[in-house]
Amino acid sequence: MPTSAAMRNSGTDATLAHFIDGRFVRTARRVFENVSPIDGAVVGLVPEADSAVVDDAVKAARAALRGPWGKMSEQQRAAILHKVANGITRRFDDFLKAEILDTGKPASLASHIDIPRGAANFDVFANQVLTLSSETFRMATPDGAGALNYAIRVPRGVIAVISPWNLPLLLMTWKVAPALACGNTVVVKPSEETPTTAMLLGEVMNEAGVPPGVYNVVHGFGPDSAGEYLTRHPGIDGITFTGETTTGTAIMSAAAKGLRPVSFELGGKNAAVVFADCDLDKAVEGTTRSVFANCGQVCLGTERIYVERPLFDAFVGRLKTAAESLRMGDPFDKATTLGPLISRDHREKVLSYYRKAQEEGAEVVTGGDIAQLATPYDRGAFIRPTIWTGLPETSAVIREEIFGPCCHIAPFDAEEEAVSLANDSPYGLATSIWTENLTRAHRVAAQIDVGITWVNSWFLRDLRTPFGGSKQSGIGREGGVHSMEFYTELRNVCIKL
Ligand code: NAD
């Protein structure tokens, strides 16, 4: 558990609740504070699930699997999931406020990405499940009559969904929606930093007619808390996780007992490659978003930029101007474009890289320290957007995921060199290539060892496409039919004719 998470023992009532078997459960032996990174205010008291609470949630999910949810047709389930999407949209302002208080992200971002995408996930996967087909094979037999094979898809069972804090509703529903569409039931463990929207979704589930036990939420931390109890629970049939690579390693070892399958979306250290033949305006605009959006706390975000030498100085200058024009402050103010980091703890981690960069001799193009803001934002977790140049590729600042509003920019001279620099990472999540030369774009994209390559864009997502990372950035793919593959088992039926 984070050292800063203030715990209160029994006797204190939680203001947030677990959601188990269609009911909100507030009682807990321990509750912890949900602290807003905007101004340090306590926005809620969260119950921490012990192993008995997790067990209740898993049992409720198991019962619902056998009950009405498991017996419904795909069409019936899809109709209910469309109602969930509508329910989120109807309560847009409630979700928006909760997400902003938990994360500090600007309303301009959350109203554009987090909440609409949270709703869209239910619509997309409700539609997707109705288009699923499976294979059939006729085979010859010695008696000449033959046999017919056909495969049917069945739900995998009770799915544990462990989600992070950077896009809380969006990333959680990205897993819950396809899992439910396929007929599974879920137990969700949202991040301890951002518990609220997962609970609000329980209200929407009830209003939409999702049967009790289909969607459950337990709150708490990772090790020795709800996350570990859930992933170790023998009643869990599959684990889908988004978060840090080191946490994925711990969850994989928990999943090994009972040989439960995992789907992992993990960390990244993503590169952008900017060729001299790019459209500079578009490259600067796109890279400003990929480095600084959500205060740099996007798994797909760019932390390493390689720019072809003739454009290097111009690009650095333009990105500096863009970084310095970002506006920090009240995230509810539509003019605010840069929120705080998720917590003071995380700010300490990001600052340790800011210090390391300076110790290693980086030129600080802009930023490099915390932001000096007026009260009450001086009690928050704001930090200045930062750009460095001049570090060796061996620097920890270039090798490790920082997850803050910062990047290092280095020049390159040849296309092969750019490809090799971009690939020189233990991670393999995403890359953006900026060039107006289409032949080059295809050639370079095919050589970059990542799950997602964008050409002249960033974060442009068609939810039917495969999403995931190679190397240490993930296991498996979700999105479209790929989600359906993880959330179902294929059963072959062979009929002797
Ligand atoms: P995290 O790994 O610290 O926590 C994620 C979740 O795992 C939280 O709910 C946490 O409580 C839980 N957890 C922690 N330890 C656990 C354990 N031992 N057992 C079970 N559960 C445990 O990640 P975070 O800090 O919340 O999120 C940031 C990270 O997520 C970054 O590394 C980022 O790159 C990654 N991320 C990846 C993607 C992707 O799609 N690849 C998307 C978003 C974020």
Side-chain angles (χ1 to χ4, degrees), residues 161-167 171 174-175 189-194 220-232 239 241-251 254 264-270 297-300 342 346 349 401 403 427 429 452 467-469 473-474:
V161 177
I162 312 277
S163 51
W165 46 257
N166 61 330
L167 297 150
L171 290 173
W174 171 244
K175 294 167 177 300
K189 211 296 282 171
S191 169
E192 54 274 29
E193 305 279 5
T194 53
F221 305 90
D224 291 323
S225 185
E228 186 176 335
Y229 303 147
L230 182 59
T231 49
R232 290 201 178 278
I239 303 171
F241 166 72
T242 301
E244 286 186 12
T245 297
T246 47
T247 310
T249 311
I251 292 179
F264 282 173
E265 295 174 345
L266 307 176
K269 186 71 185 177
N270 310 304
Q297 303 164 118
V298 182
C299 54
L300 306 162
I342 188 66
H346 187 52
K349 179 189 158 189
E401 182 184 50
F403 227 50
Y427 294 106
L429 190 53
I452 304 150
F467 180 91
S473 289

Side-chain angles (χ1 to χ4, degrees), residues 298-450:
V298 182
C299 54
L300 306 162
T302 304
E303 292 191 353
R304 303 181 287 144
I305 306 176
Y306 301 104
V307 183
E308 202 167 0
R309 199 173 300 273
L311 198 64
F312 183 77
D313 290 339
F315 184 89
V316 172
R318 292 280 302 272
L319 200 67
K320 173 180 191 292
T321 306
E324 289 172 355
S325 64
L326 293 168
R327 205 170 131 181
M328 284 181 256
D330 178 3
F332 289 96
D333 180 343
K334 288 203 173 72
T336 298
T337 47
L338 191 70
L341 290 168
I342 188 66
S343 64
R344 286 273 180 123
D345 273 0
H346 187 52
R347 186 168 75 173
E348 274 314 304
K349 179 189 158 189
V350 175
L351 277 173
S352 76
Y353 284 99
Y354 281 24
R355 283 191 291 271
K356 222 174 270 183
Q358 290 184 29
E359 283 155 21
E360 293 186 9
E363 185 192 327
V364 183
V365 176
T366 188
D369 52 20
I370 63 171
Q372 305 297 337
L373 298 180
T375 305
Y377 309 114
D378 56 344
R379 295 194 292 269
F382 290 87
I383 193 165
R384 290 176 65 200
T386 294
I387 300 173
W388 304 285
T389 56
L391 283 173
E393 286 294 308
T394 49
S395 164
V397 174
I398 294 182
R399 311 268 337 147
E400 296 168 15
E401 182 184 50
I402 301 173
F403 227 50
C406 54
C407 64
H408 179 264
I409 315 182
F412 70 87
D413 293 299
E415 185 181 300
E416 310 77 66
E417 183 193 358
V419 169
S420 127
L421 286 165
N423 281 339
D424 185 15
S425 169
Y427 294 106
L429 190 53
T431 297
S432 281
I433 301 168
W434 298 90
T435 176
E436 292 293 293
N437 178 335
L438 196 55
T439 308
R440 188 207 294 278
H442 287 293
R443 188 172 58 228
V444 173
Q447 295 176 73
I448 307 276
D449 189 2
V450 292

Side-chain angles (χ1 to χ4, degrees), residues 151-187:
I152 53 173
R153 285 187 183 275
V154 295
R156 196 174 276 289
V158 178
I159 305 290
V161 177
I162 312 277
S163 51
W165 46 257
N166 61 330
L167 297 150
L169 181 73
L170 186 159
L171 290 173
M172 184 263 286
T173 54
W174 171 244
K175 294 167 177 300
V176 167
L180 298 193
C182 291
N184 302 278
T185 58
V186 298
V187 181

Side-chain angles (χ1 to χ4, degrees), residues 287-302:
T287 312
T288 303
R289 285 192 297 115
S290 76
V291 175
F292 302 116
N294 210 31
C295 203
Q297 303 164 118
V298 182
C299 54
L300 306 162
T302 304

